Amino acid sequence: MYGYHNRIARVNLSTGRVTYEELPDEVIRKFIGGKGLGYYLIYREVPPGTDPLSPANKFVFAPGGLTGLIPGSSKVIAVSKSPETGLISDSSGGDAFGPKLKGHLDALIIEGKAEEPVYLYVHDGEVEIRDAGHLWGKGNYEVAKELWREHPTASMALIGPAGEKLSRIANVIYDTERASGRGGLGAVLGSKKVKAVVVEPGEKPRVANPEEFQRLWQEFYDHFATDPKYEHSRNYGTSDGLRSSASLGMSPAYNFSRPYIPDELASRLAGDEVKKYEIEPEWFVHGKSCPIKCARYVEVEYRGRKVRVKPEYESIAMLGAATGVFNFPAVAYFNWLVNNLGLDSIATGATIGWLFEMVERGLITKDEIGFPVNGFGDEEAEERLIKLMAERKGFGAILADGVKRACERLGRGCELAVHVKGMESPAWDPRGRRTYALSYATADVGASHLRGWPRPHQLPNQGPAKELVPSMIEGRDESYITDMLGTCKFVSYKMEDLARLYSLATGEEWTVEKLRKVAQAVESIARIHDALDWVTPPLDDTIPPRWWEPEPDGPAEGNAAFIDYNDFLEARKEFYRLRGWHEELGVPLPETMEELGYLEFRDDAERALEVVKKRMGLI
């Protein structure tokens, strides 16, 4: 098939063998690549009930169907069973790793467990298992330097000390500045003793219609690079996001207790303040070739230490506003620190912000923590806690697996913990946007801001949440499509454009409707697998208590995430119905899988329905 190599590499770390398999065209047509292909492989090979940190779990790196082929298409999707949530989980990452991997393989499957630390070296279409004993225990910036000395043209995926220590919020870092951040996937690689995956440039797959494809490539690049509509993004990237979220009453400030903050305060961690520290990106920062550029590369000095890092909104808001720290050099340094240690910036900020609120409320003392913590705004405590979390030392061992497990270990504060199914919320409080909390409640991975934004932007009190469910589903499908194709959400292709480009690449006719059908099918198989594992949708598709509290001030003052609980239930039921799932139980119907053309999942859907009915006491 044009646009692909039709080839998967499988690395069995237990046996030390690498094998290669054909990826059939029929599988590509059903799952495309990236998220879709990754979910299919994990669904097929990791049974429900598998311990995420056991050798039986598997890890997939899958570039998208258009990764490296069109402007703004650098994505690789990491997929595994999450040690944080127990769900099939995916997290996309940028920089050059995805396009380089696409030059060799359509997917890399890592299974089993090595006896000693290793790294994988991908070159000339082959994968080698190499010793990484000399890299184990080191931070990502140091490891990257060492590996680039040996492999100067390569791109790499890395885990830090947090992944080695099996922190359930450990991430995978690409070329030091980008991450597959969510779900604790770095701990899966850590459990397998994989320190890094190093990929050399390969041979880009051929496209079916190269002349027209190249013409459109240039047309789209010029459009995104010059259109005044994208000027703000080109200038600031996502770094001005806190001003937007704060003005809407959607920021995570002070552990989501004050979603509205004045512009003067938000500006300390936004736009023009960030640009004061901007410098020319390093040679390995792939994003400088992007027509949009969603993040700025900065250099800051904090407490005598000078660091360079590429922060974006989510990291700035969660390591800063969520913890009450409004000092950009401090927040940029914290960003560098979590990158170096291999911790998810969103989960880390959420967990520390929760602890700071516990301190403010007198629910925990310095004697329990082991050192003084003053609550929101305590920069010294935040730095110390980040290090302790990565090392699993002292009080950091309680926090190292995220906010849900932290509150459960302490036996208190769970009403203040902002998460869905164990995954911490990203930096957008849904009380400022009608129906948006439903996206969090039903997202496949837990709380994610990348599973559909309802349209238009209205406040929850402005009407029934169910009215905007169709637009949320449209947004969710579009998010799935970009994650299957490997394109960036900040490069605003229309769905029709992506369908056209994918058709030109593959030589086969693809429509938006056809792409949406794949998106619905992939979400449905994730839901079937998770229901067979542990998810009981009527009980687990929920939101945290904080979002039932009315916002205290600002434009969303008086708004909770929904008008009332019945408003939430009606919207959730409407989502299930429109998705082709059981209206009350939230499980894909067997006939839906058949109608979508995924008959092989019909029996599992039937079984999942029976399992959930039994859990609910209905049979």
Side-chain angles (χ1 to χ4, degrees):
M1 194 176 201
Y2 283 104
Y4 294 85
H5 291 293
N6 290 94
R7 195 162 180 263
I8 292 174
R10 182 183 299 274
V11 179
N12 188 313
L13 296 164
S14 298
T15 64
R17 291 188 65 228
V18 180
T19 55
Y20 303 92
E21 302 165 14
E22 181 187 355
L23 177 63
D25 287 351
E26 188 53 38
V27 172
I28 295 171
R29 291 186 187 105
K30 282 194 165 184
F31 299 100
I32 297 176
K35 179 186 178 96
L37 181 58
Y39 272 52
Y40 166 70
L41 292 170
I42 296 297
Y43 185 105
R44 188 182 70 177
E45 301 190 15
V46 180
T50 301
D51 179 351
L53 295 178
S54 73
N57 194 12
K58 303 189 180 187
F59 192 109
V60 176
F61 285 108
L66 289 173
T67 293
L69 298 179
I70 64 174
S73 63
S74 69
K75 298 296 184 181
V76 66
I77 313 295
V79 187
S80 188
K81 188 177 184 189
S82 164
E84 184 179 31
T85 65
L87 307 170
I88 296 181
S89 199
D90 67 284
S91 192
S92 70
D95 277 328
F97 185 90
K100 288 180 182 176
L101 185 61
K102 179 84 169 176
H104 304 277
L105 303 162
D106 298 310
L108 172 63
I109 302 173
I110 304 170
E111 59 190 23
K113 178 182 178 179
E115 290 294 321
E116 300 294 335
V118 298
Y119 76 91
L120 307 182
Y121 182 50
V122 184
H123 64 99
D124 302 312
E126 307 292 318
V127 184
E128 291 180 33
I129 303 173
R130 295 192 171 188
D131 174 66
H134 61 300
L135 304 174
W136 202 253
K138 296 180 179 179
N140 283 322
Y141 287 97
E142 183 182 355
V143 170
K145 284 181 181 177
E146 289 198 32
L147 286 171
W148 270 321
R149 274 197 291 269
E150 189 172 348
H151 310 291
T153 61
S155 185
M156 62 194 76
L158 308 163
I159 67 163
E164 298 173 15
K165 299 285 187 181
L166 307 186
S167 162
R168 294 175 190 266
I169 57 171
N171 65 11
V172 179
I173 291 281
Y174 301 100
D175 296 344
T176 73
E177 298 304 327
R178 278 289 180 242
S180 286
R182 311 304 322 273
L185 301 187
V188 178
L189 290 180
S191 73
K192 298 182 179 302
K193 298 282 190 184
V194 176
K195 182 64 172 173
V197 179
V198 180
V199 184
E200 298 284 4
E203 186 177 339
K204 191 181 290 188
R206 293 184 304 145
V207 298
N209 192 330
E211 291 82 9
E212 178 66 4
F213 196 84
Q214 181 57 36
R215 186 188 70 76
L216 281 178
W217 189 102
Q218 195 64 55
E219 182 179 304
F220 280 113
Y221 190 94
D222 292 344
H223 167 65
F224 292 125
T226 61
D227 192 319
K229 183 166 62 173
Y230 306 111
E231 183 62 33
H232 189 272
S233 292
R234 290 194 299 266
N235 192 32
Y236 294 109
T238 67
S239 72
D240 208 33
L242 188 58
R243 294 183 66 216
S244 300
S245 67
S247 70
L248 296 166
M250 295 185 72
S251 91
Y254 306 101
N255 192 35
F256 296 88
S257 66
R258 289 167 53 189
Y260 167 75
I261 52 176
D263 187 67
E264 178 187 352
L265 185 59
S267 295
R268 296 182 193 174
L269 295 179
D272 292 326
E273 180 66 21
V274 175
K275 284 190 77 66
K276 290 178 185 177
Y277 301 91
E278 187 172 5
I279 60 170
E280 185 67 23
E282 306 275 8
W283 64 269
F284 54 81
V285 178
H286 182 62
K288 61 187 174 185
S289 65
C290 175
I292 295 294
K293 299 177 178 60
C294 66
R296 323 321 296 169
Y297 193 64
V298 302
E299 181 178 83
V300 300
E301 186 170 339
Y302 180 68
R303 297 190 176 181
R305 181 158 196 173
K306 192 175 285 187
V307 299
R308 295 181 172 190
V309 70
K310 191 179 180 186
E312 47 78 45
Y313 168 67
E314 291 292 332
S315 300
I316 295 170
M318 296 307 295
L319 294 169
T323 64
V325 173
F326 288 89
N327 172 14
F328 180 70
V331 174
Y333 170 70
F334 298 155
N335 197 162
W336 180 90
L337 192 57
V338 297
N339 284 1
N340 192 46
L341 297 172
L343 283 168
D344 173 12
S345 60
I346 294 174
T348 302
T351 304
I352 294 174
W354 166 81
L355 178 66
F356 283 0
E357 184 171 357
M358 293 277 284
V359 170
E360 297 258 343
R361 288 172 174 256
L363 297 174
I364 193 167
T365 66
K366 70 176 182 181
D367 290 338
E368 289 180 274
I369 298 171
F371 55 90
V373 175
N374 298 318
F376 291 123
D378 192 335
E379 296 175 17
E380 187 174 338
E382 180 163 353
E383 178 182 358
R384 191 168 179 180
L385 287 164
I386 289 170
K387 293 175 181 176
L388 289 172
M389 288 166 72
E391 295 164 357
R392 274 198 186 278
K393 288 182 178 176
F395 197 78
I398 291 174
L399 305 180
D401 296 320
V403 74
K404 178 177 183 289
R405 285 177 173 82
C407 77
E408 290 171 348
R409 284 167 181 162
L410 286 177
R412 58 192 183 277
C414 288
E415 73 282 1
L416 306 175
V418 184
H419 69 87
V420 175
K421 299 185 182 75
M423 180 179 279
E424 295 79 5
S425 172
W428 294 93
D429 191 307
R431 290 174 288 178
R433 188 164 186 143
R434 178 155 69 121
T435 314
Y436 187 37
L438 184 70
S439 187
Y440 285 123
T442 60
D444 47 13
V445 296
S448 171
H449 58 300
L450 301 174
R451 297 298 185 272
W453 285 63
R455 298 183 297 269
H457 188 144
Q458 297 174 339
L459 292 173
N461 285 348
Q462 288 184 263
K466 69 179 292 183
E467 292 179 354
L468 301 190
V469 169
S471 70
M472 190 199 90
I473 289 175
E474 281 186 19
R476 180 163 296 184
D477 285 347
E478 289 164 10
S479 182
Y480 268 71
I481 289 165
T482 57
D483 284 343
M484 291 189 293
L485 293 175
T487 58
C488 178
K489 293 172 176 62
F490 294 108
V491 184
S492 303
Y493 288 100
K494 296 176 183 175
M495 288 296 112
E496 292 78 9
D497 296 332
L498 289 176
R500 183 182 178 194
L501 286 161
Y502 191 54
S503 299
L504 290 170
T506 60
E508 301 189 355
E509 187 59 38
W510 283 83
T511 62
V512 176
E513 182 183 4
K514 192 173 174 182
L515 290 171
R516 287 190 184 278
K517 186 176 285 190
V518 178
Q520 182 181 355
V522 172
E523 180 170 27
S524 295
I525 70 167
R527 175 56 61 122
I528 292 167
H529 190 282
D530 294 337
L532 289 171
D533 198 316
W534 70 268
V535 174
T536 304
L539 305 180
D540 296 313
D541 284 354
T542 58
I543 59 173
R546 171 124 292 167
W547 293 340
W548 288 110
E549 300 170 8
E551 288 206 20
D553 51 18
E557 182 179 355
N559 279 266
F562 296 92
I563 295 170
D564 54 31
Y565 193 66
N566 189 62
D567 183 44
F568 164 60
L569 291 179
E570 287 296 313
R572 190 175 71 175
K573 183 176 180 179
E574 180 73 353
F575 169 76
Y576 291 161
R577 185 183 71 79
L578 292 175
R579 219 46 175 155
W581 299 356
H582 190 288
E583 286 188 16
E584 302 295 339
L585 300 178
V587 177
L589 296 168
E591 53 266 34
T592 295
M593 304 313 296
E594 189 170 351
E595 288 165 8
L596 289 170
Y598 292 74
L599 188 60
E600 64 269 37
F601 298 97
R602 182 189 168 95
D603 290 348
D604 282 354
E606 189 83 59
R607 198 155 54 90
L609 271 172
E610 295 301 305
V611 166
V612 171
K613 284 178 182 176
K614 284 180 183 175
R615 289 192 199 130
M616 295 294 293
L618 299 176
I619 55 174

